[in-house]
Amino acid sequence: MPQQYLNYIDGEWKPAASGSWNENRNPAHWNEIIGLFPKSGVEEVDEAVAAAREAYKSWRLVPAPERGAILKKAGDIMVERKEDLARDMTREMGKVLAETRGDVQEGIDTAYYAAVEGRRLFSHTAPSELRNKMNLSFRMPIGIAGLITPWNFPMAIPCWKTLPALLCGNSVVLKPASDTPLTATHLVEILIEAGVPKGVINLVHGGGGVVGNRLVEHPDVDVISFTGSSEIGKAINAKAGATLKRVSLELGGKNAQIVMEDADLELALDGVLWGAFGTTGQRCTATSRLLLHQAIYDQFLDMLVGAIKCLTVGDGLDPKSKVGPVVNKSQIETVESYVKIGKAEGARLIVGGHQLTDGAHKDGWFYAPTVFADVQPKMRLFQEEIFGPVLSVAKVKDFDQAVAYHNDCIYGLSSSIYTRDVNRAFRAVRDLEAGITYVNGATIGAECHMPFGGVKQTGNGHREGGWPVYEFYSEIKTVYIDFSGKLQRAQIDNY
Ligand code: UN1
């Protein structure tokens, strides 16, 4: 009998009232059940929100530096458990151990950064227009944050959202992805151990359609942060409008790497291999389009195909593996469907394009790293997010066409240009429509203290990471202190 894991509500670990469970399976060996997790319903969400509301009364009064000290301790515990956390994460979602270690490290970095923000949480202070009067503003907590997180960064993204929300003095109800509930459980255990009080952090497992949806419509939830597809993000935003919640959406991407004719091609090759096939292409920031200058087009494609043939695909726990499995069956089906679409649209499949089912791959969701060449901007392959190991390559005649192709897309998360020409590099920084631009670096590699997010349909203007996330999770209180001892009328007595 696989181990049963529980929700964490109001300081207690408990099952869902429904008594039903979701299986968490290893994508590299899908017969292996890692654990059973409660299939929660509206009832559990309501209970968690009520607990969060009660706990908020005292948590909001804990000084921010003290809240920061708790998060610092959580970071220290993550450091001690880094290896175990990484191994469990590889087992539940597949990516290779080097990457799951990186994912945990991103959580640690986020904890230490949050701890430091506890001693800043800056706001604006400005002079008064009147004598003997002082104007200040402070950051106050908002209330209850409902956090809905994806499976591709099972520790980093729950940390990106949970830790700043807590630091700002909010209580949290976390709904992790059904594919990665174990890492979220570990995170909550760590937060409890670090001293987050009962009711301040709550964990409710279950599907987005029920648990996520209830958080979004619950009248007593003040803030929603969601990372996932644009389609669901739009539905969340519309629904959350009914209760005027503050909503942060981190959605789809179709990130491109541009390689100009003057680029260091070996460097650009390392970049695209990492960007397109790291995390098996399952990052919001993954390189999904490669825009090659015509002068190096054929040469670079040859280099790319040669290098891909040396990429070992396998169980992420095996040190030889460079690319792990795809997260689940439905994701494999999505990838397959896009390969079919690409062929039907007339793109040229130059490597991969099939599931791996031999020996070491036979009981997992493995897919061969895949490249389509001669992709045209009007093709679905060029426009739509796939979230798998599929790269679409287009030929461009010059820099201006590279920028135009890049921007011909509804998304705008990450972008990259490889060139040795400093003028072109700066133009790209200015003109690529994306929230993030890398110069001579892959489209992936964000750091937790820098703003993370995209333009166009990648989001709704908020950022995760960096300073802006602390603005998102706090409310401004403006304060006027009049010490003149008489009525002073602004805009009147001084003119
Ligand atoms: C994501 O894919 O949603 O820059 C997050 C990166 C990582 C974070 C990715 N540090 O790719």
Side-chain angles (χ1 to χ4, degrees):
M1 176 71 178
Q3 186 172 342
Q4 291 179 332
Y5 291 85
L6 302 170
N7 288 328
Y8 185 70
I9 299 174
D10 201 15
E12 273 180 56
W13 292 98
K14 35 182 148 177
S18 70
S20 17
W21 304 87
N22 282 324
E23 288 172 354
N24 181 16
R25 286 176 181 259
N26 180 343
H29 306 281
W30 43 263
N31 290 322
E32 181 190 335
I33 299 177
I34 289 162
L36 299 176
F37 289 82
K39 204 183 263 185
S40 313
V42 167
E43 196 178 331
E44 283 76 26
V45 178
D46 288 359
E47 204 190 325
V49 172
R53 180 56 66 190
E54 187 55 33
Y56 174 66
K57 291 181 190 159
S58 46
W59 182 242
R60 65 180 278 274
L61 300 176
V62 174
E66 202 176 311
R67 295 195 293 254
I70 294 174
L71 299 182
K72 154 83 171 58
K73 179 135 188 244
D76 292 343
I77 301 172
M78 278 190 241
V79 169
E80 280 164 30
R81 303 203 186 140
K82 182 171 172 182
E83 195 58 24
D84 290 345
L85 291 167
R87 284 186 175 271
D88 271 355
M89 196 192 301
T90 292
R91 284 174 59 229
E92 77 171 339
M93 66 72 71
K95 63 186 172 184
V96 299
L97 208 42
E99 291 192 37
T100 50
R101 288 182 186 127
D103 192 319
V104 176
Q105 188 59 46
E106 204 160 339
I108 295 166
D109 296 344
T110 303
Y112 288 158
Y113 177 56
V116 171
E117 278 303 342
R119 291 199 175 266
R120 296 171 13 129
L121 273 192
F122 294 147
S123 191
H124 291 284
T125 292
S128 168
E129 63 189 45
L130 291 162
R131 284 166 199 265
N132 297 318
K133 189 181 170 200
M134 198 179 274
N135 299 353
L136 315 162
S137 74
F138 297 95
R139 300 209 158 269
M140 313 294 275
I142 306 174
I144 313 302
L147 308 178
I148 306 169
T149 56
W151 47 262
N152 65 336
F153 276 81
M155 182 59 92
I157 295 183
C159 285
W160 282 5
K161 297 183 195 296
T162 306
L163 307 186
L166 292 176
L167 191 275
C168 289
N170 305 288
S171 306
V172 167
V173 181
L174 172 63
K175 195 231 82 70
S178 312
D179 279 306
T180 51
L182 181 58
T183 304
T185 302
H186 291 328
L187 171 61
V188 169
E189 286 163 353
I190 289 168
L191 290 171
I192 297 165
E193 228 177 291
V196 175
K198 112 184 165 93
V200 171
I201 178 77
N202 300 275
L203 175 70
V204 182
H205 296 288
V210 178
V211 176
N213 188 57
R214 180 60 186 158
L215 279 173
V216 172
E217 64 184 22
H218 198 298
D220 209 22
V221 171
D222 307 283
V223 180
I224 290 287
S225 180
F226 168 77
T227 298
S229 73
S230 291
E231 193 193 340
I232 296 177
K234 285 176 194 170
I236 287 178
N237 214 15
K239 189 165 272 185
T243 42
L244 287 179
K245 289 182 179 37
R246 186 179 296 199
V247 180
S248 173
L249 301 170
E250 195 48 60
L251 310 173
K254 191 72 188 173
N255 315 293
Q257 174 177 318
I258 297 169
V259 183
M260 298 307 297
E261 78 285 11
D262 65 342
D264 176 337
L265 296 187
E266 292 292 343
L267 186 67
L269 179 65
D270 286 344
V272 71
L273 290 172
W274 175 225
F277 303 113
T279 323
T280 323
Q282 303 170 116
R283 293 194 187 212
C284 308
T285 49
T287 307
S288 191
R289 298 180 295 160
L290 177 65
L291 309 177
L292 296 178
H293 189 278
Q294 57 183 358
I296 47 102
Y297 188 76
D298 293 329
Q299 180 192 353
F300 198 83
L301 284 182
D302 285 347
M303 290 165 68
L304 183 61
V305 171
I308 286 174
K309 288 191 174 146
C310 303
L311 279 183
T312 310
V313 180
D315 183 345
L317 289 178
D318 181 342
K320 288 196 294 297
S321 301
K322 289 282 176 282
V323 180
V326 168
V327 73
N328 58 32
K329 182 160 184 257
S330 110
Q331 209 62 31
I332 278 267
E333 285 164 1
T334 304
V335 170
E336 298 242 84
S337 77
Y338 274 100
V339 168
K340 268 203 199 110
I341 290 166
K343 287 179 183 163
E345 285 177 318
R348 180 161 58 97
L349 178 67
I350 55 171
V351 65
H354 54 87
Q355 209 176 322
L356 297 169
T357 50
D358 59 301
H361 302 115
K362 70 175 185 320
D363 61 351
W365 306 120
F366 294 98
Y367 205 88
T370 298
V371 180
F372 279 97
D374 304 346
V375 176
Q376 302 296 325
K378 62 178 187 320
M379 293 179 182
R380 289 181 62 190
L381 214 50
F382 189 92
Q383 296 291 346
E384 297 176 17
E385 181 170 56
I386 301 173
F387 228 68
V390 181
L391 178 68
S392 300
V393 190
K395 188 193 282 187
V396 292
K397 65 176 194 299
D398 55 20
F399 174 80
D400 288 343
Q401 190 172 49
V403 172
Y405 274 30
H406 173 278
N407 292 345
D408 180 4
C409 176
I410 58 168
Y411 301 114
L413 180 54
S414 187
S415 55
S416 140
I417 181 163
Y418 282 78
T419 180
R420 288 176 163 124
D421 178 340
V422 71
N423 294 342
R424 284 205 285 215
F426 277 98
R427 273 185 211 128
V429 166
R430 184 191 62 193
D431 295 339
L432 294 178
E433 293 170 358
I436 306 170
T437 295
Y438 290 86
V439 175
N440 294 325
T443 59
I444 67 183
E447 301 173 25
C448 82
H449 56 292
M450 297 298 286
F452 179 96
V455 302
K456 303 203 255 185
Q457 293 195 24
T458 289
N460 61 345
H462 291 293
R463 290 292 179 270
E464 305 231 59
W467 167 248
V469 79
Y470 293 87
E471 289 184 336
F472 176 76
Y473 287 109
S474 59
E475 199 76 88
I476 301 271
K477 165 66 68 77
T478 305
V479 182
Y480 297 104
I481 302 170
D482 191 319
F483 47 97
S484 68
K486 59 182 185 195
L487 174 69
Q488 296 196 89
R489 297 174 302 172
Q491 297 94 37
I492 296 173
D493 292 339
N494 46 339
Y495 288 101

